[in-house]
Coordinates of all heavy atoms in Angstrom, one line a residue:
A296 N 0.9 -1.2 0.0 CA 0.0 0.0 0.0 C 0.9 1.2 0.0 O 1.9 1.3 0.8 CB -0.9 0.0 1.2
I297 N 0.6 2.2 -0.8 CA 1.3 3.4 -0.9 C 0.3 4.6 -0.9 O -0.9 4.4 -1.3 CB 2.3 3.6 -2.1 CG1 1.4 3.5 -3.4 CG2 3.3 2.5 -2.1 CD1 2.3 3.8 -4.7
W298 N 0.7 5.7 -0.4 CA -0.1 6.9 -0.4 C 0.6 8.1 -0.9 O 1.8 8.3 -0.6 CB -0.8 7.1 1.0 CG 0.0 7.1 2.2 CD1 0.6 8.2 2.8 CD2 0.4 5.9 2.9 NE1 1.3 7.8 3.9 CE2 1.2 6.3 4.0 CE3 0.2 4.6 2.8 CZ2 1.8 5.5 4.9 CZ3 0.7 3.7 3.7 CH2 1.5 4.2 4.8
F299 N -0.1 9.0 -1.5 CA 0.5 10.2 -2.1 C -0.7 11.1 -2.5 O -1.9 10.8 -2.5 CB 1.3 9.8 -3.3 CG 0.7 8.9 -4.3 CD1 -0.2 9.4 -5.3 CD2 0.8 7.5 -4.2 CE1 -0.8 8.5 -6.2 CE2 0.2 6.7 -5.1 CZ -0.7 7.2 -6.1
D300 N -0.3 12.4 -2.9 CA -1.3 13.3 -3.4 C -1.4 13.2 -4.9 O -0.3 13.1 -5.6 CB -0.8 14.8 -3.0 CG -1.0 15.1 -1.5 OD1 -1.6 14.3 -0.8 OD2 -0.4 16.0 -1.0
E301 N -2.6 13.3 -5.4 CA -2.9 13.1 -6.8 C -4.0 14.0 -7.2 O -4.9 14.3 -6.5 CB -3.2 11.7 -7.1 CG -3.4 11.3 -8.6 CD -2.1 11.8 -9.4 OE1 -1.1 11.0 -9.5 OE2 -2.2 12.8 -10.0
A302 N -4.0 14.4 -8.5 CA -5.1 15.3 -9.0 C -6.4 14.5 -8.9 O -6.5 13.3 -9.2 CB -4.8 15.6 -10.5
I303 N -7.4 15.3 -8.6 CA -8.8 14.7 -8.4 C -9.3 14.0 -9.7 O -9.8 12.9 -9.6 CB -9.7 15.9 -8.0 CG1 -9.5 16.3 -6.7 CG2 -11.2 15.3 -8.1 CD1 -10.3 17.5 -6.2
G304 N -9.0 14.6 -10.8 CA -9.5 14.0 -12.0 C -8.7 12.8 -12.6 O -9.1 12.2 -13.6
C305 N -7.6 12.4 -11.9 CA -6.8 11.2 -12.4 C -7.6 10.0 -12.2 O -8.0 9.6 -11.1 CB -5.5 11.2 -11.6 SG -4.5 9.8 -12.1
E306 N -7.8 9.3 -13.3 CA -8.7 8.1 -13.3 C -7.9 6.8 -13.0 O -8.4 5.7 -12.8 CB -9.4 7.9 -14.6 CG -10.4 9.1 -14.9 CD -11.6 9.1 -13.8 OE1 -11.9 8.0 -13.3 OE2 -12.1 10.2 -13.5
T307 N -6.5 6.9 -13.2 CA -5.7 5.7 -12.9 C -5.1 5.9 -11.5 O -5.3 6.8 -10.8 CB -4.6 5.6 -14.0 OG1 -3.9 6.8 -14.0 CG2 -5.3 5.3 -15.4
A308 N -4.2 4.9 -11.2 CA -3.5 5.0 -9.9 C -2.8 6.4 -9.7 O -2.8 7.0 -8.7 CB -2.6 3.8 -9.7
S309 N -2.1 6.8 -10.7 CA -1.3 8.0 -10.7 C -1.2 8.5 -12.1 O -1.1 7.8 -13.1 CB 0.0 7.7 -10.1 OG 0.8 9.0 -9.9
C310 N -1.1 9.9 -12.3 CA -1.1 10.5 -13.6 C 0.1 11.5 -13.7 O 0.3 12.1 -12.7 CB -2.4 11.2 -13.9 SG -3.9 10.1 -13.9
P311 N 0.6 11.7 -14.9 CA 1.6 12.7 -15.1 C 0.9 14.1 -15.0 O -0.3 14.2 -15.2 CB 2.1 12.5 -16.4 CG 1.0 11.7 -17.2 CD 0.4 10.9 -16.1
D312 N 1.7 15.1 -14.6 CA 1.1 16.5 -14.6 C 0.7 16.9 -15.9 O 1.3 16.6 -17.0 CB 2.2 17.5 -14.1 CG 2.6 17.2 -12.7 OD1 1.8 16.6 -11.9 OD2 3.7 17.6 -12.3
E313 N -0.5 17.5 -16.0 CA -1.0 18.1 -17.2 C -0.3 19.3 -17.7 O 0.1 20.1 -16.9 CB -2.5 18.3 -17.1 CG -3.4 17.2 -16.9 CD -4.9 17.5 -16.8 OE1 -5.2 18.7 -17.0 OE2 -5.7 16.7 -16.5
E314 N 0.0 19.3 -19.0 CA 0.6 20.5 -19.5 C -0.4 21.6 -19.6 O -1.5 21.5 -20.0 CB 1.1 20.2 -21.0 CG 2.3 19.2 -21.0 CD 3.0 19.1 -22.3 OE1 2.6 19.9 -23.2 OE2 3.8 18.2 -22.5
E315 N 0.1 22.9 -19.2 CA -0.8 24.0 -19.2 C -0.9 24.6 -20.7 O 0.1 24.4 -21.5 CB -0.3 25.1 -18.3 CG -0.4 24.7 -16.9 CD 0.0 25.9 -15.9 OE1 0.6 26.9 -16.5 OE2 -0.2 25.8 -14.7
A316 N -2.1 25.1 -21.0 CA -2.2 25.8 -22.3 C -1.2 27.0 -22.4 O -0.8 27.6 -21.4 CB -3.6 26.2 -22.5
A317 N -0.8 27.2 -23.6 CA 0.1 28.3 -23.8 C -0.3 29.7 -23.3 O 0.4 30.5 -22.9 CB 0.5 28.5 -25.3
D318 N -1.7 29.9 -23.3 CA -2.3 31.2 -22.9 C -2.9 31.0 -21.5 O -3.7 31.9 -21.1 CB -3.3 31.6 -23.9 CG -4.5 30.7 -24.1 OD1 -4.3 29.5 -23.5 OD2 -5.5 31.0 -24.7
A319 N -2.5 30.1 -20.7 CA -3.1 29.9 -19.4 C -2.6 31.0 -18.4 O -1.4 31.4 -18.5 CB -2.7 28.5 -18.9
G320 N -3.5 31.5 -17.6 CA -3.1 32.4 -16.6 C -2.7 31.7 -15.3 O -2.6 30.5 -15.3
T321 N -2.4 32.5 -14.3 CA -1.9 31.9 -13.0 C -3.0 31.9 -11.9 O -2.7 31.5 -10.8 CB -0.7 32.7 -12.5 OG1 -1.1 34.1 -12.3 CG2 0.5 32.6 -13.5
G322 N -4.2 32.4 -12.3 CA -5.2 32.5 -11.2 C -5.7 31.1 -10.7 O -5.8 30.2 -11.5

């Protein structure tokens, strides 16, 4: 058993970080 923080929308055990859109803001 392992535990860690993961994005809510990740449907598998763990997901790579999503790439931000080129025009994404920081808000």
Side-chain angles (χ1 to χ4, degrees):
I297 62 175
W298 50 95
F299 49 86
D300 289 344
E301 185 54 83
I303 292 173
C305 177
E306 296 296 332
T307 57
S309 184
C310 298
D312 292 337
E313 293 185 4
E314 292 187 9
E315 291 186 349
D318 61 349
T321 60

